[in-house]
Amino acid sequence: MLICSTCAVERDEPAPALCPICVDERQYVPEAGQYWTTLDELAKSGQHTTLMESEPGLVSIGTQPKVGIGQTAQLVVTPAGSLWWDPVGYVDDHAVGAILEHGPVLAIAASHPHMFGVQVEWSNRLGGVPVLVSEADREWLGRGGPNVTTWSGSRTIADGLVLHQTGGHFPGSAVAHWAAGADGRGVLLTGDSVFPNPDRRSVAFMRSYPNHLPLSGSVALRIAAQLGDLEFDRIYGNFNNKIPSGAKEVLISSAQRHAAWSRGDFDHLC
């Protein structure tokens, strides 16, 4: 198994000359060129995982130094078991042990292909946990196996913990709705299907973040309308960036602003 050093998505050997995810217009191959690495190589370089509690029932796990895109994965803990969300591109015994201390893992899922990480390797280390991949994005899988299964629409992980396909960034882009989060007011884990901005008062809707390709206003409004049917007060993105409160209102107003700029409503300011 090889890992792309740019996106940190795993791939069966022999790997192609270029990572298919990175040559897509949403990502990039560095000027220095394609480089494939392995878990052993990363471990020898001092790679390790880091853990912190974002809030009760939500454990954030990252990598130091950054691997690939450098997302922060989230372990959502429920009485029935956990969801391992947006798995990072590195795995070690420290993180595996910490995850299992919270009980069984019910599923591994990513918000979109950039966040696949080494999801099949995580599954193997966690005891054969199901890896849920959106049917619309299955073409981006670099590594298969008996634990991989596809889904569409919505998928219940546990009571009060449901995946919802939104599309947008990728056709299969998804969010996880955790009803018990934020002290019962509800949390959305969005990856970058909906991206919490640094101002913490708005979110972004983009086809490509590094290459600055926006989604259309109509798609932004569609995503906001779909998610507006859910109850939530907080949003976490894929770098532990968040809208700490009032997130539903932020989502709706941000989609309306995005659509207005797309229509040219504010061209007089340019």
Side-chain angles (χ1 to χ4, degrees), residues 85-86 110-112 134 137 151 153 163-167 170-176 189-194:
W85 176 255
D86 279 351
S111 57
H112 64 287
S134 177
D137 291 339
W151 68 282
L163 306 182
H164 296 282
Q165 181 182 348
T166 63
F170 276 80
S173 284
V175 304
L189 305 176
T190 61
D192 53 16
S193 303
V194 173

Side-chain angles (χ1 to χ4, degrees), residues 33-190:
Q34 178 70 49
Y35 180 75
W36 299 97
T37 187
T38 66
L39 287 175
D40 285 344
E41 186 175 315
L42 288 170
K44 289 175 182 177
S45 70
Q47 195 69 54
H48 62 281
T49 54
T50 61
L51 295 84
M52 64 170 283
E53 184 182 68
S54 293
E55 63 177 78
L58 188 66
V59 180
S60 302
I61 299 180
T63 55
Q64 286 293 332
K66 181 186 82 168
V67 175
I69 294 171
Q71 73 262 31
T72 300
Q74 305 285 357
L75 184 73
V76 188
V77 182
T78 79
S82 302
L83 168 66
W84 183 216
W85 176 255
D86 279 351
V88 294
Y90 179 71
V91 56
D92 58 20
D93 292 340
H94 169 61
V96 169
I99 288 171
L100 293 177
E101 283 180 3
H102 292 278
V105 178
L106 302 175
I108 298 170
S111 57
H112 64 287
H114 293 151
M115 301 292 106
F116 281 168
V118 291
Q119 57 186 4
V120 173
E121 188 65 27
W122 277 106
S123 171
N124 294 338
R125 301 283 186 100
L126 291 168
V129 175
V131 177
L132 305 181
V133 175
S134 177
E135 175 64 34
D137 291 339
R138 70 181 303 169
E139 66 180 284
W140 299 103
L141 270 174
R143 189 182 183 195
N147 300 332
V148 177
T149 186
T150 59
W151 68 282
S152 297
S154 296
R155 175 72 177 246
T156 298
I157 305 300
D159 186 31
L161 181 56
V162 183
L163 306 182
H164 296 282
Q165 181 182 348
T166 63
H169 183 49
F170 276 80
S173 284
V175 304
H177 179 232
W178 177 37
D183 297 321
R185 300 187 305 278
V187 160
L188 281 186
L189 305 176
T190 61

Side-chain angles (χ1 to χ4, degrees), residues 230-252:
L230 305 175
E231 292 300 321
F232 61 94
D233 188 55
R234 186 172 295 155
I235 292 176
Y236 286 91
N238 53 351
F239 298 99
N240 221 33
N241 48 325
K242 66 182 179 180
I243 306 297
S245 63
K248 181 185 286 193
E249 293 76 14
V250 166
L251 172 71
I252 294 169

Side-chain angles (χ1 to χ4, degrees), residues 183-241:
D183 297 321
R185 300 187 305 278
V187 160
L188 281 186
L189 305 176
T190 61
D192 53 16
S193 303
V194 173
F195 188 86
N197 289 326
D199 65 7
R200 300 175 303 284
R201 295 180 287 109
S202 64
V203 297
F205 306 86
M206 300 287 282
R207 175 168 174 81
S208 171
Y209 288 88
N211 299 323
H212 304 292
L213 293 174
L215 294 174
S216 71
S218 60
V219 170
L221 291 171
R222 185 198 75 202
I223 292 171
Q226 177 188 354
L227 297 179
D229 290 335
L230 305 175
E231 292 300 321
F232 61 94
D233 188 55
R234 186 172 295 155
I235 292 176
Y236 286 91
N238 53 351
F239 298 99
N240 221 33
N241 48 325

